[in-house]
Amino acid sequence: AMYFRILHDPDRGELSYLLADLDAGEAVLVDPRSGDLPVLLALLAERDLRLRWVLRTHHHDDRQPGELSRLARLGAPVVQGQATAGARASVDGEVLPFGNELVRVMATPGHTAFCLSFAWRDRVFCGGLLAPQACAHQPRPASAPALWDSVTARIFTLPDETLLFAGQMDGGRGVSTVLEQRRGNRHFAGGSRDGFLARMAERSDQFEFSE
């Protein structure tokens, strides 16, 4: 039996996910926040789950000192796009097992330079890719060209019915489908790469000015 929970931080709109194989007693956390540690540990203990992996689509540890060291209290390897003290890097295509389940790693840089997405069953956890302005810690992409390529070449080429789970709420939404995003995303649907880059450059200029 599978278990799936969404945790939402109403203050910042950030989303975390718990995936578990109840039969095997193993679990994975995607983008957990250290502020949720008591809740996360209670959820794991309630169902006697052993945490296999802490998966981070992206991170802003430079703006959240001590976050990674606090996440170490979860007692599982931290996997992200860039190796640092306390976390290991993953590569595109790596498969991470938990119980009888598998999570596949997708390299999707752009929101940050080393963003990852994680594919599990019919869903993909894609962090800040689809809503580049929704992240409270970084309201503009680190690399707009890489972001466009990651979304259009990696995410939008997935089957229409694939469920996309975001790292931040965007206009009250946290989950959508590839078909919906491909047709209606205000940043990526129906436009050109050059147009997207121009809009992001304009936004960056405005952001620099406002700072």
Side-chain angles (χ1 to χ4, degrees):
M2 297 308 304
Y3 179 68
F4 179 58
R5 279 287 300 270
I6 301 175
L7 293 92
H8 174 228
D9 177 351
D11 294 328
R12 288 191 174 272
E14 295 174 338
L15 297 161
S16 301
Y17 304 95
L18 172 63
L19 331 174
D21 181 341
L22 295 179
D23 296 328
E26 293 191 343
V28 166
L29 283 168
V30 179
D31 287 336
R33 298 176 301 273
S34 66
D36 290 334
L37 276 174
V39 174
L40 297 171
L41 292 169
L43 285 172
L44 294 168
E46 179 184 5
R47 289 167 175 79
D48 196 23
L49 296 170
R50 181 170 75 95
L51 188 62
R52 284 292 306 273
W53 308 102
V54 172
L55 307 180
R56 304 176 89 193
T57 61
H58 66 291
H59 60 86
H60 301 286
D61 292 339
D62 56 330
R63 303 185 187 186
Q64 298 173 288
E67 177 73 5
L68 190 54
S69 61
R70 290 188 293 270
L71 289 176
R73 291 175 50 198
L74 290 165
V78 176
V79 176
Q80 57 190 35
Q82 183 182 28
T84 60
R88 78 167 179 84
S90 187
V91 296
D92 187 64
E94 183 177 6
V95 174
L96 303 171
F98 68 103
N100 296 307
E101 298 290 317
L102 299 171
V103 173
R104 181 170 55 86
V105 178
M106 301 171 64
T108 51
H111 174 63
T112 66
F114 299 96
C115 274
L116 301 176
S117 295
F118 300 102
W120 172 64
R121 292 194 170 200
D122 63 346
R123 59 202 69 186
V124 173
F125 304 93
C126 54
L129 292 185
L130 296 170
Q133 297 168 322
C135 180
H137 302 290
Q138 184 170 301
R140 57 182 176 175
S143 171
L147 180 61
W148 174 270
D149 294 343
S150 289
V151 170
T152 58
R154 301 302 307 272
I155 300 299
F156 284 1
T157 56
L158 296 170
D160 287 353
E161 62 274 13
T162 304
L163 297 172
L164 300 174
F165 288 84
Q168 293 90 21
M169 296 287 282
D170 182 34
R173 299 284 309 277
V175 60
S176 58
T177 66
V178 166
L179 177 62
E180 182 180 0
Q181 292 289 344
R182 195 191 301 126
R183 288 186 174 180
N185 186 287
R186 67 184 183 278
H187 300 292
F188 301 100
S192 68
R193 188 177 193 269
D194 288 345
F196 172 77
L197 298 182
R199 290 193 301 276
M200 290 297 107
E202 181 182 358
R203 175 169 175 78
S204 294
D205 291 342
Q206 293 171 349
F207 189 77
E208 294 283 5
F209 181 75
S210 68
E211 284 186 323

